[in-house]
Amino acid sequence: MPVTLGHEVAGHLDDGSAVAVWPLVACGTCDRCTAGEVSQCRTGPGRVYGIGRDGGMADELVVDPACIVPLPDGLGVGDAALVEPIACGVHALRRGGMRSGERVAVVGAGAIGLGAAAAARWMDGSVDIAARHPAQRQAAEQIGVGPDPGGEYDVVVDAAGTEAAIAKCVELVRPGGTITLLASYWEPVAFPQFFTMKEPVLVGANMHGRDATGTDMEAAARMLADLPEVSRAMITHRFPLERAREAFTVAADRAAGAIKVVLEP
Ligand SMILES: [Zn+2]
Protein backbone atom coordinates (compact mmCIF):
# COMPACT_ATOMS: atom_id res chain seq x y z
CA MET A 1 0.00 0.00 0.00
CA PRO A 2 1.30 3.49 -0.76
CA VAL A 3 1.14 4.61 2.87
CA THR A 4 3.12 4.05 6.05
CA LEU A 5 1.46 1.11 7.80
CA GLY A 6 0.34 1.05 11.43
CA HIS A 7 -3.24 1.43 12.62
CA GLU A 8 -2.66 -0.15 16.06
CA VAL A 9 -0.81 2.73 17.64
CA ALA A 10 0.05 4.19 21.00
CA GLY A 11 2.54 6.88 21.92
CA HIS A 12 3.22 10.11 23.73
CA LEU A 13 1.87 13.55 22.92
CA ASP A 14 4.29 16.49 22.90
CA ASP A 15 3.31 17.17 26.53
CA GLY A 16 4.39 13.64 27.49
CA SER A 17 0.97 12.17 28.14
CA ALA A 18 0.47 8.56 27.01
CA VAL A 19 -2.30 7.92 24.52
CA ALA A 20 -3.67 5.41 22.05
CA VAL A 21 -4.85 6.48 18.62
CA TRP A 22 -8.31 5.78 17.26
CA PRO A 23 -7.31 5.32 13.61
CA LEU A 24 -10.82 5.63 12.25
CA VAL A 25 -11.50 9.18 11.02
CA ALA A 26 -15.14 9.22 10.04
CA CYS A 27 -16.40 12.06 7.85
CA GLY A 28 -18.96 13.12 10.45
CA THR A 29 -21.41 14.35 7.85
CA CYS A 30 -22.75 11.36 5.90
CA ASP A 31 -26.06 9.69 6.79
CA ARG A 32 -24.40 6.86 8.74
CA CYS A 33 -22.12 9.18 10.72
CA THR A 34 -25.11 11.39 11.49
CA ALA A 35 -26.93 8.30 12.74
CA GLY A 36 -24.03 7.69 15.13
CA GLU A 37 -22.69 4.66 13.24
CA VAL A 38 -19.19 5.91 12.41
CA SER A 39 -17.96 2.41 11.58
CA GLN A 40 -20.37 2.52 8.62
CA CYS A 41 -19.10 5.88 7.32
CA ARG A 42 -19.65 6.25 3.57
CA THR A 43 -16.07 7.38 3.02
CA GLY A 44 -14.79 3.88 3.83
CA PRO A 45 -11.22 3.10 4.86
CA GLY A 46 -9.60 5.90 2.87
CA ARG A 47 -9.44 8.14 5.93
CA VAL A 48 -8.09 5.47 8.31
CA TYR A 49 -4.55 6.03 9.61
CA GLY A 50 -2.24 3.21 8.50
CA ILE A 51 -4.67 1.99 5.83
CA GLY A 52 -5.84 4.91 3.71
CA ARG A 53 -3.21 7.39 4.89
CA ASP A 54 0.08 7.35 6.75
CA GLY A 55 -0.02 5.41 10.01
CA GLY A 56 2.01 4.73 13.10
CA MET A 57 5.09 2.69 12.11
CA ALA A 58 7.11 5.87 12.35
CA ASP A 59 8.87 8.01 14.93
CA GLU A 60 6.14 10.64 14.78
CA LEU A 61 2.55 10.72 13.60
CA VAL A 62 0.22 13.67 13.26
CA VAL A 63 -3.40 12.79 14.03
CA ASP A 64 -6.71 14.55 14.38
CA PRO A 65 -7.26 15.54 18.04
CA ALA A 66 -10.57 13.63 17.94
CA CYS A 67 -8.53 10.43 17.54
CA ILE A 68 -6.64 10.78 20.83
CA VAL A 69 -7.58 8.18 23.46
CA PRO A 70 -6.02 9.01 26.87
CA LEU A 71 -4.82 5.89 28.65
CA PRO A 72 -6.42 4.99 31.99
CA ASP A 73 -4.29 4.32 35.06
CA GLY A 74 -2.96 0.79 34.91
CA LEU A 75 -2.37 0.67 31.15
CA GLY A 76 1.18 1.42 30.00
CA VAL A 77 1.93 2.92 26.62
CA GLY A 78 3.99 -0.14 25.68
CA ASP A 79 0.87 -2.30 25.85
CA ALA A 80 -1.59 0.20 24.42
CA ALA A 81 -1.16 -0.77 20.76
CA LEU A 82 -3.59 -3.52 21.78
CA VAL A 83 -6.39 -1.01 22.36
CA GLU A 84 -7.31 -0.88 18.67
CA PRO A 85 -7.57 -4.63 17.92
CA ILE A 86 -9.42 -5.23 21.19
CA ALA A 87 -11.81 -2.38 20.37
CA CYS A 88 -12.76 -4.42 17.30
CA GLY A 89 -13.78 -7.25 19.64
CA VAL A 90 -15.70 -4.90 21.93
CA HIS A 91 -17.51 -3.53 18.90
CA ALA A 92 -18.39 -7.01 17.64
CA LEU A 93 -19.83 -8.02 21.01
CA ARG A 94 -21.84 -4.80 21.28
CA ARG A 95 -23.11 -5.29 17.72
CA GLY A 96 -24.01 -8.85 18.69
CA GLY A 97 -26.02 -7.62 21.67
CA MET A 98 -24.00 -9.66 24.16
CA ARG A 99 -25.32 -9.42 27.72
CA SER A 100 -23.77 -10.12 31.10
CA GLY A 101 -23.77 -13.80 32.03
CA GLU A 102 -24.20 -15.11 28.50
CA ARG A 103 -22.22 -17.96 27.01
CA VAL A 104 -19.87 -16.74 24.28
CA ALA A 105 -17.74 -18.80 21.89
CA VAL A 106 -14.98 -17.35 19.73
CA VAL A 107 -13.76 -19.28 16.68
CA GLY A 108 -10.17 -18.36 15.86
CA ALA A 109 -7.47 -17.38 18.36
CA GLY A 110 -5.29 -14.87 16.57
CA ALA A 111 -4.96 -11.44 18.15
CA ILE A 112 -8.48 -10.43 17.09
CA GLY A 113 -10.06 -13.62 18.44
CA LEU A 114 -8.15 -13.55 21.72
CA GLY A 115 -8.99 -9.88 22.13
CA ALA A 116 -12.68 -10.54 21.55
CA ALA A 117 -12.60 -13.42 24.03
CA ALA A 118 -10.92 -11.22 26.64
CA ALA A 119 -13.49 -8.48 26.03
CA ALA A 120 -16.35 -10.97 26.43
CA ARG A 121 -14.87 -12.14 29.72
CA TRP A 122 -14.53 -8.50 30.83
CA MET A 123 -18.19 -7.97 29.87
CA ASP A 124 -19.03 -10.77 32.30
CA GLY A 125 -19.56 -13.55 29.80
CA SER A 126 -18.69 -17.21 30.11
CA VAL A 127 -16.21 -17.64 27.26
CA ASP A 128 -14.61 -20.49 25.33
CA ILE A 129 -12.31 -20.08 22.32
CA ALA A 130 -11.32 -22.44 19.50
CA ALA A 131 -7.55 -22.17 18.97
CA ARG A 132 -5.33 -23.78 16.36
CA HIS A 133 -1.81 -23.36 17.73
CA PRO A 134 -0.31 -24.29 21.14
CA ALA A 135 0.81 -20.71 21.85
CA GLN A 136 -2.73 -19.51 21.22
CA ARG A 137 -4.16 -22.11 23.60
CA GLN A 138 -1.66 -21.06 26.23
CA ALA A 139 -2.57 -17.39 25.77
CA ALA A 140 -6.28 -18.24 26.08
CA GLU A 141 -5.60 -20.01 29.35
CA GLN A 142 -3.64 -17.00 30.66
CA ILE A 143 -6.54 -14.73 29.72
CA GLY A 144 -8.94 -16.95 31.63
CA VAL A 145 -11.10 -18.23 28.78
CA GLY A 146 -11.85 -21.89 28.21
CA PRO A 147 -10.59 -24.08 25.36
CA ASP A 148 -12.51 -26.24 22.87
CA PRO A 149 -16.03 -24.77 22.68
CA GLY A 150 -18.80 -27.35 23.04
CA GLY A 151 -22.53 -27.28 23.57
CA GLU A 152 -24.56 -24.18 22.75
CA TYR A 153 -23.71 -20.48 23.00
CA ASP A 154 -25.82 -17.32 23.03
CA VAL A 155 -23.24 -15.40 21.00
CA VAL A 156 -20.66 -16.92 18.65
CA VAL A 157 -17.91 -14.78 17.14
CA ASP A 158 -16.15 -15.72 13.92
CA ALA A 159 -12.59 -14.42 14.21
CA ALA A 160 -11.13 -16.74 11.57
CA GLY A 161 -12.95 -15.91 8.34
CA THR A 162 -12.98 -19.34 6.75
CA GLU A 163 -15.74 -21.65 5.58
CA ALA A 164 -14.81 -24.14 8.31
CA ALA A 165 -15.14 -21.38 10.89
CA ILE A 166 -18.60 -20.44 9.62
CA ALA A 167 -19.65 -24.09 9.89
CA LYS A 168 -18.31 -24.19 13.45
CA CYS A 169 -20.22 -21.01 14.35
CA VAL A 170 -23.48 -22.48 13.04
CA GLU A 171 -22.81 -25.69 15.00
CA LEU A 172 -22.16 -23.80 18.26
CA VAL A 173 -24.88 -21.15 18.19
CA ARG A 174 -28.04 -21.88 20.13
CA PRO A 175 -31.33 -21.61 18.26
CA GLY A 176 -32.09 -17.92 17.94
CA GLY A 177 -28.59 -16.96 19.08
CA THR A 178 -26.26 -14.53 17.36
CA ILE A 179 -23.31 -15.14 15.06
CA THR A 180 -21.10 -12.07 14.88
CA LEU A 181 -18.86 -11.87 11.82
CA LEU A 182 -15.73 -10.13 13.07
CA ALA A 183 -13.23 -11.72 10.68
CA SER A 184 -12.01 -10.35 7.36
CA TYR A 185 -13.23 -12.61 4.57
CA TRP A 186 -10.46 -12.77 1.98
CA GLU A 187 -12.31 -15.48 0.03
CA PRO A 188 -16.01 -16.09 -0.52
CA VAL A 189 -17.50 -18.43 2.11
CA ALA A 190 -20.50 -20.77 1.93
CA PHE A 191 -22.89 -21.33 4.80
CA PRO A 192 -23.84 -24.91 5.76
CA GLN A 193 -26.97 -26.49 4.37
CA PHE A 194 -30.18 -25.57 6.25
CA PHE A 195 -28.33 -23.21 8.62
CA THR A 196 -31.45 -21.03 8.94
CA MET A 197 -33.28 -23.83 10.79
CA LYS A 198 -31.70 -22.45 13.99
CA GLU A 199 -32.81 -18.95 13.02
CA PRO A 200 -29.45 -17.41 13.96
CA VAL A 201 -29.08 -13.64 13.87
CA LEU A 202 -26.11 -12.76 11.62
CA VAL A 203 -24.33 -9.51 12.49
CA GLY A 204 -21.44 -7.92 10.63
CA ALA A 205 -18.82 -5.97 12.55
CA ASN A 206 -16.36 -3.48 11.06
CA MET A 207 -13.67 -1.78 13.12
CA HIS A 208 -15.09 0.23 16.02
CA GLY A 209 -17.47 2.99 16.94
CA ARG A 210 -19.34 4.38 19.90
CA ASP A 211 -22.57 3.92 21.76
CA ALA A 212 -24.31 5.77 24.59
CA THR A 213 -21.69 4.55 27.07
CA GLY A 214 -18.67 5.82 25.12
CA THR A 215 -16.32 4.62 22.41
CA ASP A 216 -15.18 1.06 21.84
CA MET A 217 -11.58 2.34 22.06
CA GLU A 218 -12.17 3.74 25.56
CA ALA A 219 -13.81 0.48 26.64
CA ALA A 220 -10.88 -1.54 25.28
CA ALA A 221 -8.40 0.68 27.14
CA ARG A 222 -10.32 0.21 30.39
CA MET A 223 -10.40 -3.55 29.81
CA LEU A 224 -6.63 -3.69 29.33
CA ALA A 225 -6.16 -1.69 32.54
CA ASP A 226 -8.55 -3.96 34.45
CA LEU A 227 -7.09 -7.21 33.08
CA PRO A 228 -3.29 -6.77 32.80
CA GLU A 229 -2.93 -10.50 32.09
CA VAL A 230 -4.37 -9.85 28.61
CA SER A 231 -1.37 -7.77 27.49
CA ARG A 232 1.04 -10.25 29.04
CA ALA A 233 -0.62 -13.12 27.18
CA MET A 234 -1.06 -11.43 23.81
CA ILE A 235 2.19 -9.48 23.28
CA THR A 236 4.67 -12.25 22.54
CA HIS A 237 7.45 -10.19 20.93
CA ARG A 238 8.83 -6.64 20.93
CA PHE A 239 11.26 -5.13 18.41
CA PRO A 240 12.80 -1.68 17.87
CA LEU A 241 11.55 0.08 14.75
CA GLU A 242 14.82 -0.49 12.89
CA ARG A 243 14.27 -4.27 13.16
CA ALA A 244 10.82 -4.03 11.55
CA ARG A 245 11.71 -6.52 8.81
CA GLU A 246 12.51 -9.19 11.40
CA ALA A 247 9.39 -8.27 13.33
CA PHE A 248 7.22 -8.92 10.28
CA THR A 249 8.90 -12.29 9.70
CA VAL A 250 8.21 -13.31 13.29
CA ALA A 251 4.64 -12.01 13.16
CA ALA A 252 3.90 -14.09 10.07
CA ASP A 253 4.83 -17.34 11.80
CA ARG A 254 1.84 -18.11 14.01
CA ALA A 255 2.90 -21.72 14.43
CA ALA A 256 6.16 -20.54 16.04
CA GLY A 257 4.24 -18.73 18.73
CA ALA A 258 3.74 -15.13 17.60
CA ILE A 259 0.45 -13.56 18.61
CA LYS A 260 1.03 -9.82 18.71
CA VAL A 261 4.39 -8.31 17.82
CA VAL A 262 4.99 -4.74 18.97
CA LEU A 263 7.36 -2.26 17.31
CA GLU A 264 8.87 0.23 19.72
CA PRO A 265 10.44 3.37 18.21
ZN1 LIG B 1 -19.40 9.51 7.38
Side-chain angles (χ1 to χ4, degrees), residues 48-69:
V48 176
Y49 294 111
I51 294 176
R53 57 169 136 176
D54 286 341
M57 289 188 186
D59 293 310
E60 290 190 297
L61 171 68
V62 178
V63 302
D64 189 303
C67 298
I68 297 300
V69 181

Side-chain angles (χ1 to χ4, degrees), residues 26-34 38 40-43:
C27 78
T29 57
C30 74
D31 60 332
R32 300 314 299 153
C33 282
T34 307
V38 293
Q40 299 166 16
C41 176
R42 299 280 182 185
T43 59

